[in-house]
Amino acid sequence: MGFLPVENDRSIYFEHHRGEGRPIVLVHGWGATTRAWDTTLPALLANGNEVVTVDLRCCGRSDKDFDDVTIAALASDIVRLVDHLGLDRPVVNGWSLGGAVATAAVAQLGDRASALVLTGGASPRYTATDDWPHGGAVADVEAVLASAAANRAETFRGVAAAVCAENPGEAVLDSIWDMFMAMGPRGDDSLRDLATVDLRKEIASLEVPILLLHGRADAFVPFSAAEAVPTLNHRAEVVEFTSSGHAPFLEERDRYLAELTGFLNR
């Protein structure tokens, strides 16, 4: 594990698990931490991959008082971490908000990245617009953030309960809630920025394979948004998880890992 200075004297936390195989960077969703990948990591290590996990700004063990928490800033941290560790053409896998971060990071890396994976990824847009009829409204995001400002614990308990299509059990629900509660209030502005970010040009310009692993019952990023990505970039392929909501790596773990490792081994 380590800490990487990225803004003045403020640092992000990361874990670097060495391996001889293809490197992969795992980027968690809004309010989560590296611990989101605890049931994914063992299989990737068993597959021989070099794996990096990271706590985004204001999340987990990273500093909580960053000035800039935009998607662009979070993506620049991933690029800086890739450079810091000397990763050789990594795959970047982003879950939820992390999908937008991963997309922007791969766009910045260019031919220094080898692939993009979107796990329920909020990319290329999280909210709907006239020519992107997928997702909710910016006002919906603001309502969630207002609720969190008034009652953080209860709001995040409700968000945690909506992650999976079916009740995953109290232990899993508690673990998701605990991650949310480890995010500082400044992290809320990352979601606020996500509500207006549009990465369609970036995702269309990528010249690397793109794999979308997406739950049919995703309550945060509709499946139709994943289906639309191949219309923007012919390199994109979508894998549907019929029994999953927003977290197929938790809800259909075995199949998720088979699809992910199969993609990494191509």
Side-chain angles (χ1 to χ4, degrees), residues 194-216:
L194 178 70
T196 57
V197 162
D198 193 321
L199 296 168
R200 281 179 285 180
K201 289 183 180 178
E202 285 80 358
I203 208 165
S205 69
L206 296 182
E207 298 182 358
V208 297
I210 303 168
L211 177 67
L212 295 99
L213 305 171
H214 211 102
R216 169 60 73 174

Side-chain angles (χ1 to χ4, degrees), residues 5 10 30 58 64 73 76 83 102 106 125 139 143 162 172 176-177 214-215 264:
R10 295 168 179 83
W30 179 62
C58 300
K64 304 298 189 295
S76 70
D83 291 340
V106 171
R125 277 194 67 95
V172 174
I176 298 171
W177 188 34
H214 211 102
L264 294 173

Side-chain angles (χ1 to χ4, degrees), residues 118 120-121 123-125 132 134 212-215 218 221-232 236-240:
L118 299 175
S123 176
R125 277 194 67 95
W132 183 260
H134 315 286
L212 295 99
L213 305 171
H214 211 102
D218 194 322
V221 182
F223 188 75
S224 63
E227 289 182 304
V229 173
T231 68
L232 300 174
E237 60 179 294
V238 181
V239 177
E240 176 185 357

Side-chain angles (χ1 to χ4, degrees), residues 17-260:
H17 302 269
R18 289 166 176 80
E20 297 300 319
R22 193 176 186 185
I24 180 169
V25 181
L26 302 176
V27 185
H28 65 72
W30 179 62
T33 74
T34 57
R35 300 279 67 81
W37 303 108
D38 280 357
T39 58
T40 302
L41 178 64
L44 294 177
L45 296 180
N47 193 53
N49 296 102
E50 179 180 13
V51 185
V52 175
T53 59
V54 57
D55 284 347
L56 297 175
R57 297 186 181 200
C58 300
C59 297
R61 296 181 65 178
S62 294
D63 287 330
K64 304 298 189 295
D65 54 348
F66 280 95
D67 293 327
D68 188 350
V69 294
T70 60
I71 299 301
L74 303 183
S76 70
D77 291 347
I78 302 302
V79 174
R80 189 175 304 193
L81 186 57
V82 167
D83 291 340
H84 173 72
L85 296 175
L87 301 182
D88 182 18
R89 300 192 71 240
V91 176
V92 185
N93 179 0
W95 171 43
S96 191
L97 175 144
V101 176
T103 301
V106 171
Q108 290 182 36
L109 286 165
D111 61 8
R112 292 191 292 144
S114 64
L116 170 66
V117 179
L118 299 175
T119 297
S123 176
R125 277 194 67 95
Y126 182 54
T127 56
T129 187
D130 290 344
D131 58 350
W132 183 260
H134 315 286
V138 173
D140 299 330
V141 174
E142 290 295 342
V144 170
L145 295 176
S147 178
N151 189 332
R152 203 161 184 82
E154 186 172 341
T155 298
F156 283 151
R157 186 68 176 188
V159 174
V163 168
C164 297
E166 302 291 341
N167 188 336
E170 287 303 306
V172 174
L173 182 58
D174 285 348
S175 71
I176 298 171
W177 188 34
D178 285 345
M179 287 191 289
F180 280 129
M181 294 306 296
M183 178 177 64
R186 282 288 290 129
D188 294 7
D189 285 332
S190 293
L191 183 63
R192 180 170 282 115
D193 187 57
L194 178 70
T196 57
V197 162
D198 193 321
L199 296 168
R200 281 179 285 180
K201 289 183 180 178
E202 285 80 358
I203 208 165
S205 69
L206 296 182
E207 298 182 358
V208 297
I210 303 168
L211 177 67
L212 295 99
L213 305 171
H214 211 102
R216 169 60 73 174
D218 194 322
F220 295 91
V221 182
F223 188 75
S224 63
E227 289 182 304
V229 173
T231 68
L232 300 174
N233 191 316
H234 72 274
R235 299 170 183 83
E237 60 179 294
V238 181
V239 177
E240 176 185 357
F241 290 82
T242 57
S243 301
S244 292
H246 197 45
F249 57 94
L250 296 177
E251 299 171 86
E252 295 181 70
R253 177 180 178 267
D254 290 347
R255 181 164 175 246
Y256 176 85
L257 293 173
E259 295 287 351
L260 179 58

